[in-house]
């Protein structure tokens, strides 16, 4: 094991900055996927276990449009997101809607079933070969003093910041956002006030699928496009939502970033093989000592 | 095409009678059956497909040349899902078919370990590609290896880097699964024997999404050469890119996965200039060239070790059963162990009493994405 503590202060600082950048980058990916988890949970009280597969499907759509068909990157990007919106709508109608009056358990099992169906459909159509998707920028990255900034990670961080701002504006300052919030808080009351609950839930699924897809497309150039890419990210994102406080948008973002940073520093300073362990160790600690998460409230009542 | 009622009835009739027809064929023992566990799904599904194709190409040639014991041979493939529970399940399904005479196991050591107790219980020969040296040294007489084991790859990596490239400050990077741990240990031991123990021994867990801490550890260690044992191509791809991005350009000699075509596709230029030990190198012998041609004709991509070892396994196995003149497990075992100077795609097979068929490796270089044969290093001890 290499112990960087023994190095000169300057070198330590460089190391810390490099690790911090990587941690924030990978954490931003978790945060984006976690956001999708949270939105669906708030609207339906159900954890959508196919959220990771949304990311995977979007990455494959990107490969189909941008690589196989050779269409421009921005057009492929828009088409992929449109495809995800469609998938979100189908998912709502096929998986959630028929079971909406049942308890949360059948719905959760249905989402697990849907995730297996999605993964194996892509496997059947596209085959098991991992694919390469180029990043958005020609330059792979920038050398900023001692720290190398990967351009794709920079993009991921920027998009996450934009999405956080957008979510805040959308949910707090638009009528649609407020309707969505009202639906997630109390469906009965919302429908008494003339809000179409099923439309709101439809919008939530579409938006979550697009968000998950966005994360998948952004991370594909870094992690490659493979059938498993969704499930590995989703597991961490799920942990991030619990750490942040299930059902809390800010919590999902903070939880995702915290997880990314903790596992990166844990790997560098304690143990590389146990990198994934740190994420879940933190998760367990939270479940034991603060089950409602950083920002959460009354989780016990919901669960 | 229209689907008429008559088609439906005919289909139904065939569907109902098929099991009986097939059953009666089985009863007559019309074919010699060989079982194969391969990843049809899971992280290694792509290379699993290559493995099955390699085996089928060999089987077709064997059948054309008269088959096994005068009968046509048949390959039955079960999906091992690239997991340990998966291969245990797949093998138990195959083992339940009592007329299967021999099996092909996995190229992954960890999976071979998982299935090994069942192999011992069944008592029939299983050909393997896993390269953990222990597999043939743990008292399981039914495992036969068709790739050189890691005690050789470790020695070849150390020998090449130390003697040919003249590098003394080694960083050793390995996966923490059975394959990677055994490989890392073998390389470490070989370096110690050369009087140049590794200055960094770093493990990593499979399917990592980020290797920044690993790259920084290598950078800080001041190593002037890197030896690696990677299990999955995704991991090599991500690591190789981050290694180059963070400015590490020391020579890199890797285990066979560094030269496989999926890794080359994913990592692209990040792997240019690296060296790898390869059990299969197309230019290394006449038999290797012949396999390469046959494989390219059928599959249309370059062959690699994923497909060459099952190809050799089927060929050696067919020859051994023919020589034994029987499908009795003990006789097949004797005949395989007696195999000498058998020209295979991977090299010349000379089985030792442990069940290891090969005892050396090729060193290849990645020249702008093309794998070029450099030299063969063989050990006799």
């Amino acid at each position: 094991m290499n112990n960087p503590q023994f190095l000169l202060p300057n070198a330590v600082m460089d190391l810390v900055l490099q690790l911090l950048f990587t941690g924030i980058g990978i954490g931003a990916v978790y945060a984006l996927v976690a956001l999708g988890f949270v939105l669906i949970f708030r609207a339906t009280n159900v954890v959508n276990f196919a959220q990771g597969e949304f990311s995977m499907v979007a990455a494959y759509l990107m490969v189909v449009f941008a690589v196989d068909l050779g269409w421009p990157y921005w057009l492929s990007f828009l088409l992929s997101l449109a495809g995800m919106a469609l998938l979100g709508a189908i998912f709502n109608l096929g998986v959630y809607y028929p079971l909406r009056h049942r308890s949360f358990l059948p719905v959760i099992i249905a989402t697990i079933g849907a995730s297996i169906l999605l993964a194996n459909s892509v496997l059947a159509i596209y085959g098991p070969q991992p694919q390469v998707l180029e990043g958005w920028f020609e330059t792979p990255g920038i050398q900023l003093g001692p720290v190398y900034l990967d351009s794709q990670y920079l993009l991921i961080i920027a998009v996450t910041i934009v999405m956080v701002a957008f979510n805040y504006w959308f949910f707090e300052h638009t009528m649609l956002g407020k309707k969505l919030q009202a639906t997630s808080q109390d469906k009965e009351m919302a429908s008494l006030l003339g809000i179409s609950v099923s439309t709101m839930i439809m919008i939530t699924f579409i938006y979550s699928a697009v968000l998950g897809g966005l994360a998948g497309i952004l991370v594909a150039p870094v992690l490659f496009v493979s059938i498993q890419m969704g499930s590995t990210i989703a597991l961490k994102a799920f942990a991030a939502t619990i750490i942040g406080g299930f059902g809390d948008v800010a919590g999902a973002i903070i939880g995702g970033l915290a997880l990314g940073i903790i596992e990166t520093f844990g790997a560098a300073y304690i143990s590389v093989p146990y990198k994934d362990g740190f994420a879940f160790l933190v998760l367990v600690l939270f479940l034991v000592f603060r089950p409602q998460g950083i920002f959460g409230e009354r989780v016990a009542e919901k669960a | 095409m229209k689907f008429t009622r008559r088609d439906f009835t005919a289909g139904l009739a065939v569907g109902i009678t098929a099991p009986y027809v097939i059953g009666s064929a089985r009863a007559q023992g019309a074919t010699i059956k060989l079982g194969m566990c391969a990843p049809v799904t899971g992280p290694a599904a792509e290379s699993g497909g290559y493995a099955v194709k390699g085996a089928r190409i060999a089987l077709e040639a064997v059948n054309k040349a008269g088959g096994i014991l005068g009968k046509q041979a048949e390959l039955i493939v079960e999906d091992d899902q690239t997991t340990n529970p998966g291969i245990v399940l797949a093998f138990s399904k195959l083992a339940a078919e009592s007329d299967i005479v021999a099996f092909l196991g996995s190229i992954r050591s960890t999976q071979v370990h998982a299935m090994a107790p069942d192999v011992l219980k069944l008592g029939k020969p299983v050909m393997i590609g896993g390269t953990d040296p222990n597999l043939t040294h743990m008292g399981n007489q039914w495992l036969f290896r068709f790739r050189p084991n890691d005690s050789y790859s470790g020695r070849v990596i150390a020998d090449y880097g130390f003697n040919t490239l003249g590098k003394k400050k080694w960083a050793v990077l390995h996966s923490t699964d059975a394959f990677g741990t055994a490989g890392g240990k073998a390389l470490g031991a070989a370096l110690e024997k050369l009087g140049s123990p590794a200055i960094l021994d770093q493990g990593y867990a499979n399917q990592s999404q980020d290797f920044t801490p690993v790259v920084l550890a290598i950078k800080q260690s001041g190593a002037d050469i890197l030896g690696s044992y990677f299990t999955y191509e995704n991991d090599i791809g991500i690591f190789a890119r981050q290694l180059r991005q963070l400015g590490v350009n020391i020579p890199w000699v890797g285990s066979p996965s560094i030269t496989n075509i999926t890794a080359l596709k994913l990592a692209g230029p990040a792997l240019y200039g690296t060296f790898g030990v390869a059990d299969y190198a197309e230019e290394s012998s006449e038999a290797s060239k012949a396999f390469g041609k046959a494989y390219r004709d059928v599959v249309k991509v370059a062959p690699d070790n994923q497909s060459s070892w099952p190809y050799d396994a089927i060929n050696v196995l067919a020859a051994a059963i023919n020589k034994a003149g029987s499908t009795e497990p003990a006789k097949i075992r004797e005949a395989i162990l007696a195999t000498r100077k058998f020209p295979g795609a991977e090299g010349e097979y000379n089985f030792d009493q442990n069940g290891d068929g090969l005892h050396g490796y090729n060193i290849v270089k990645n020249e702008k994405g093309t794998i070029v044969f450099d030299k063969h290093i063989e050990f006799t001890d």
Side-chain angles (χ1 to χ4, degrees):
Chain A
M1 198 60 44
N2 181 42
N3 282 321
Q5 296 89 311
F6 297 115
L7 298 165
L8 295 167
N10 258 349
V12 172
M13 203 58 221
D14 298 350
L15 201 71
V16 166
L17 285 176
Q18 184 70 58
L19 291 170
L20 193 63
F21 174 74
T22 308
I24 291 174
I26 199 90
V29 178
Y30 300 155
L32 276 180
V33 178
L35 212 53
F37 269 122
V38 167
L39 293 177
I40 289 184
F41 181 77
R42 284 185 15 149
T44 65
N45 275 350
V46 162
V47 178
N48 173 23
F49 281 101
Q51 194 66 35
E53 268 59 42
F54 286 168
S55 304
M56 181 268 297
V57 170
Y60 270 95
L61 286 177
M62 236 3 233
V63 170
V64 171
F65 295 132
V67 181
D68 296 347
L69 296 174
W71 292 350
Y73 208 85
W74 62 269
L75 180 66
S76 310
F77 176 73
L78 292 180
L79 284 174
S80 301
L81 290 188
M84 290 319 292
L86 186 67
L87 181 66
I90 294 171
F91 193 87
N92 176 34
L93 293 177
V95 178
Y96 174 73
Y97 198 74
L99 297 169
R100 68 194 181 285
H101 297 309
R102 309 280 289 276
S103 81
F104 67 95
L105 211 54
V107 188
I108 288 183
I109 293 169
T111 66
I112 294 175
S115 85
I116 296 172
L117 179 71
L118 283 174
N120 285 286
S121 304
V122 174
L123 183 69
I125 296 167
Y126 218 86
Q129 299 86 344
Q131 303 293 323
V132 179
L133 180 69
E134 295 302 316
W136 202 291
F137 304 109
E138 296 263 318
T139 359
I142 318 161
Q143 190 73 43
L144 196 72
V147 184
Y148 181 88
L149 305 176
D150 184 294
S151 57
Q152 194 66 25
Y153 272 130
L154 283 176
L155 179 68
I156 291 170
I157 295 168
V159 169
T160 306
I161 294 170
V162 170
M163 289 318 293
V164 169
F166 175 78
N167 271 316
Y168 175 76
W169 170 79
F170 179 68
F171 282 105
E172 304 297 331
H173 294 280
T174 68
M175 190 46 102
L176 183 58
K178 286 184 175 165
K179 280 185 187 172
L180 285 169
Q181 282 215 58
T183 309
S184 76
Q185 279 162 11
D186 190 335
K187 289 188 193 55
E188 222 162 75
M189 189 64 202
S191 75
L192 282 176
L193 293 171
I195 298 171
S196 166
V197 170
S198 54
T199 310
M200 292 305 124
I201 289 177
M202 174 61 102
I203 291 171
T204 306
F205 270 97
I206 291 175
Y207 185 49
S208 297
V210 171
L211 265 183
L214 185 65
I217 293 169
L218 287 171
V219 81
V222 184
L223 300 187
F224 306 114
V225 181
S226 67
I227 309 286
Q228 300 81 34
M229 65 178 287
S231 47
T232 29
I233 306 170
L235 208 57
K236 299 279 179 63
F238 184 61
T241 47
I242 291 174
I243 292 169
F246 227 114
D248 193 273
V249 172
I253 305 287
I254 301 291
L257 292 176
L259 212 57
I261 294 170
I262 288 169
E263 66 171 24
T264 305
F265 277 88
Y269 286 92
I270 304 170
S271 161
V272 173
Y274 289 101
K275 191 180 101 182
D276 292 340
F278 298 121
F280 297 113
L281 183 69
V282 174
L283 173 66
V284 169
L285 289 179
F286 262 93
L287 285 175
V288 171
F289 296 107
R290 197 176 160 79
Q292 71 271 41
I294 301 173
F295 294 93
E297 22 157 352
R298 290 175 293 127
V299 165
E301 181 202 279
K302 278 187 172 174
Chain B
M1 202 180 81
K2 256 180 99 178
F3 190 69
T4 63
R5 193 173 295 170
R6 186 181 297 171
D7 290 340
F8 177 75
T9 320
L12 198 65
V14 170
I16 291 170
T17 51
Y20 300 98
V21 176
I22 294 167
S24 71
R26 182 174 296 174
Q28 289 161 11
T31 59
I32 294 271
K33 287 187 179 172
L34 305 174
M36 178 173 190
C37 305
V40 179
T41 59
E46 177 174 29
S47 41
Y50 298 150
V52 173
K53 279 167 194 149
R56 289 208 189 282
I57 290 170
L59 200 70
E60 207 171 290
V62 165
N63 281 336
K64 248 185 212 162
I68 301 176
L69 300 178
K71 293 176 183 172
Q72 292 290 290
E74 183 189 347
L75 188 70
I76 299 162
V77 179
E78 262 315 317
D79 179 15
D80 70 23
Q81 300 166 29
T82 329
T83 65
N84 292 350
I87 200 163
V88 171
L89 185 68
F91 184 69
S92 79
K93 274 190 200 164
L94 291 172
E97 296 195 33
S98 59
D99 52 349
I100 295 184
V101 299
F103 305 83
L104 267 67
S106 178
I107 193 170
R108 281 161 218 284
S109 297
T110 168
Q111 288 187 303
V112 180
H113 275 295
M115 72 192 284
D118 293 342
V119 172
L120 198 58
K121 226 183 282 167
L122 182 69
K124 285 183 183 175
V126 176
M127 318 299 118
I128 57 166
T131 49
D132 176 356
N134 290 330
L135 291 171
T136 50
H137 293 78
M138 57 187 188
N140 193 331
Q141 53 174 351
W142 299 108
L143 298 175
F144 303 91
R145 180 156 26 215
F146 287 80
R147 294 174 61 214
N149 76 45
D150 286 329
S151 69
Y152 299 108
S153 73
R155 283 168 73 182
V156 170
I157 291 174
D159 186 275
Y160 190 79
F162 189 86
N163 291 324
T164 309
L165 300 175
K167 301 291 182 188
K168 313 280 188 265
K169 290 166 80 180
W170 285 75
V172 175
L173 173 62
H174 62 87
S175 159
T176 47
D177 64 13
F179 158 77
T181 309
K185 252 189 216 156
L187 175 53
L191 286 171
E192 240 160 70
K193 223 173 164 186
L194 288 170
S196 175
I199 56 170
L200 174 72
D201 178 14
Q202 180 72 68
Y204 74 89
N206 286 337
Q207 309 288 349
S208 284
Q209 290 131 16
D210 177 69
F211 281 92
T212 309
V214 175
V215 174
L216 292 176
I218 293 169
K219 211 173 171 179
Q220 306 295 348
S221 72
D224 62 5
I225 185 165
L226 169 66
S228 73
Y229 279 86
F230 273 92
T231 308
Y232 290 105
E233 296 87 3
N234 299 30
D235 288 331
I236 288 199
I238 297 171
F239 172 74
R241 279 194 192 172
Q242 293 188 324
L243 189 73
R244 301 314 186 206
Q245 285 180 348
L246 297 176
V248 181
N249 288 305
I250 55 177
W252 176 6
V253 190
S255 67
S257 55
I258 200 173
T259 59
N260 97 25
I261 51 172
T262 308
L264 297 184
K265 182 179 79 180
L266 295 182
L271 282 179
Y272 289 1
T274 57
F275 302 93
V277 294
D279 32 319
Y280 178 68
E282 199 168 353
E283 299 299 316
S284 61
S285 76
E286 287 309 313
S288 314
K289 283 181 198 164
F291 165 67
K293 190 182 172 308
Y295 189 82
R296 278 173 205 276
D297 285 348
V298 177
V299 191
K300 315 284 179 219
V301 295
D304 64 6
N305 63 358
Q306 302 284 343
S307 52
S308 59
W309 83 264
Y311 174 86
D312 284 351
I314 294 280
N315 281 331
V316 169
L317 183 61
I321 299 176
N322 279 334
K323 203 166 69 181
S326 156
T327 57
E328 208 178 295
K331 289 195 174 144
I332 300 177
R333 175 171 188 270
E334 260 171 51
I336 294 175
L337 293 184
T339 302
R340 294 284 179 281
K341 293 193 181 298
F342 187 99
E346 297 241 343
E348 193 183 78
Y349 285 87
N350 291 296
F351 272 87
D352 58 31
Q353 287 313 298
N354 301 317
D356 272 307
L358 297 169
H359 305 89
Y361 264 103
N362 303 304
I363 286 279
V364 293
K365 188 177 184 190
N366 179 332
E367 285 195 354
K368 303 216 158 136
T370 312
I371 296 300
V372 184
F373 173 66
D374 191 34
K375 70 196 270 195
H376 183 86
I377 300 178
E378 179 90 16
F379 296 102
T380 45
D381 54 328

